[in-house]
Amino acid sequence: VKQQCEDNEEETLGAVMFTCGGRSERFFGEDMVDAKQFQAAFPTKPLIGFWAGGEIGPQALAEAAPAEATRTGRAALQGFTAVFGIFRAPVPKPRLALSLGDDELPQEVGRLMARLAREANARGNADYKEGDHANATQHYTRAMQLAQVASAEVPLSKQSQMVSNRSMAALKAGDFERALQDADSALQLDPQNHKAHYRRAQSLLSMSRPEEAADGLRSALAEAQGGPVEELLKLLDQAEQAAASSTGSRRR
C-alpha cells in the first residue's frame, strides 16, 4: 500500500483495521501483530482497530503479488484475516494557474482532463473485472464526459473505446437497449472499432434480432481495414444460424 501511494502520488491519512480474534498473541507468539505491521510502514499515521469474529473485505489472496493482494473491490465475509481500510488522498500540488499564461492554461486543463479520463476508464476496467458492472458503468460515463472536453484532445478512436466499454458493462448487466445505443455511438466515433461492432451484434442477438445482427456484421467485415476479425466471423456464423432458425420457426 505504501508503494502504491508513492507511485500514485498519494498520501496515507490513516486507517481502520478489523482483525480476527484468532490472530492474537496465542497464535503469533506476540500481541498486536497486525497493528504493528501497519505501524512499521506508517509510523506517524493514526490507526483504530477492532477485534472481529468474521471480517468483510476484498477476498484474501495470500499468494498474490502486492498490487493484487491490496486490491479493492467486491467484498466477501472471511475468517482469520486482517482487513485494513486505508484512507488515501492525492498529495496537494502547487496551483499551476498562477504561473500559467492565458495561452498555456487551456492546454494544461486539457492535459488534466485527458489524464482524468484515462484514470476513470482504468477504474471502470478494474470494476468490470471484479464483476461490479454498476460502478464500472459510472466510471466509463465519467471517462466519456472528461474525454469530450475539447482541450483534452482525446482521439475519437479512444473516445470510441470508452463508449464501447460502457456498452460491454451494459451487456453484462442485461441492459441490452443501452448496450446497443452505446455500441452505435461508439461506431459513430470510430467505424473501425471491431469491439463495438461485436457488442452491437451481441445486443441485437440478446433482443432476438438475429437478422439485424447478421447484417451489421456483414457490413463491418466488408468495410474492415485490418485488425483481428475472427471474433466477428464467429459471431456472424452464430447470428446467421439464429436467423435461419427464426425464419424456419415463422414458416412453420
Side-chain angles (χ1 to χ4, degrees), residues 60-118:
L61 300 169
E63 303 300 324
E68 181 70 6
T70 57
R71 69 183 182 182
T72 60
R74 298 176 68 189
L77 178 63
Q78 303 163 93
F80 239 81
T81 57
V83 177
F84 288 85
I86 309 292
F87 299 96
R88 293 155 47 168
V91 176
K93 295 182 180 179
R95 295 188 177 183
L96 295 176
L98 297 178
S99 60
L100 294 174
D102 292 342
D103 295 336
E104 297 173 297
L105 186 56
Q107 296 177 352
E108 190 62 36
V109 171
R111 281 193 286 269
L112 174 62
M113 294 298 103
R115 178 175 63 81
L116 293 175
R118 292 192 298 270

Side-chain angles (χ1 to χ4, degrees), residues 63-242:
E63 303 300 324
E68 181 70 6
T70 57
R71 69 183 182 182
T72 60
R74 298 176 68 189
L77 178 63
Q78 303 163 93
F80 239 81
T81 57
V83 177
F84 288 85
I86 309 292
F87 299 96
R88 293 155 47 168
V91 176
K93 295 182 180 179
R95 295 188 177 183
L96 295 176
L98 297 178
S99 60
L100 294 174
D102 292 342
D103 295 336
E104 297 173 297
L105 186 56
Q107 296 177 352
E108 190 62 36
V109 171
R111 281 193 286 269
L112 174 62
M113 294 298 103
R115 178 175 63 81
L116 293 175
R118 292 192 298 270
E119 291 175 357
N121 190 64
R123 292 191 186 99
N125 290 340
D127 281 341
Y128 179 84
K129 290 178 181 177
E130 293 286 345
D132 191 346
H133 305 126
N135 268 336
T137 296
Q138 291 181 2
H139 287 306
Y140 290 140
T141 300
R142 183 167 182 264
M144 292 159 52
Q145 293 168 342
L146 291 165
Q148 289 170 0
V149 175
S151 60
E153 296 183 350
V154 177
L156 292 180
S157 60
K158 293 294 184 182
Q159 294 187 44
S160 177
Q161 291 174 13
M162 295 172 184
V163 184
S164 179
N165 285 345
R166 194 172 73 172
S167 174
M168 170 183 67
L171 270 170
K172 287 294 185 180
D175 190 348
F176 305 127
E177 286 285 356
R178 178 164 185 174
L180 178 60
Q181 292 173 5
D182 280 343
D184 283 334
S185 297
L187 290 170
Q188 290 179 359
L189 294 167
D190 179 13
Q192 293 297 316
N193 186 336
H194 291 176
K195 289 185 177 179
H197 282 295
Y198 189 88
R199 286 157 190 160
R200 181 179 187 278
Q202 282 185 309
S203 303
L204 290 166
L205 285 172
S206 298
M207 293 188 288
S208 301
R209 294 159 62 181
E211 295 89 352
E212 294 176 65
D215 288 342
L217 288 168
R218 291 191 199 98
S219 297
L221 289 165
E223 298 173 6
Q225 299 175 3
V229 296
E230 291 81 5
E231 288 188 345
L232 296 182
L233 288 168
K234 290 179 181 178
L235 192 59
L236 174 59
D237 183 60
Q238 179 183 336
E240 288 177 337
Q241 290 184 31

Side-chain angles (χ1 to χ4, degrees), residues 35-64:
K36 290 175 181 175
Q37 289 283 340
F38 179 87
Q39 187 180 44
F42 303 103
T44 64
K45 304 301 179 181
L47 171 70
I48 186 171
F50 302 87
W51 295 108
E55 301 76 53
I56 297 175
Q59 184 177 358
L61 300 169
E63 303 300 324

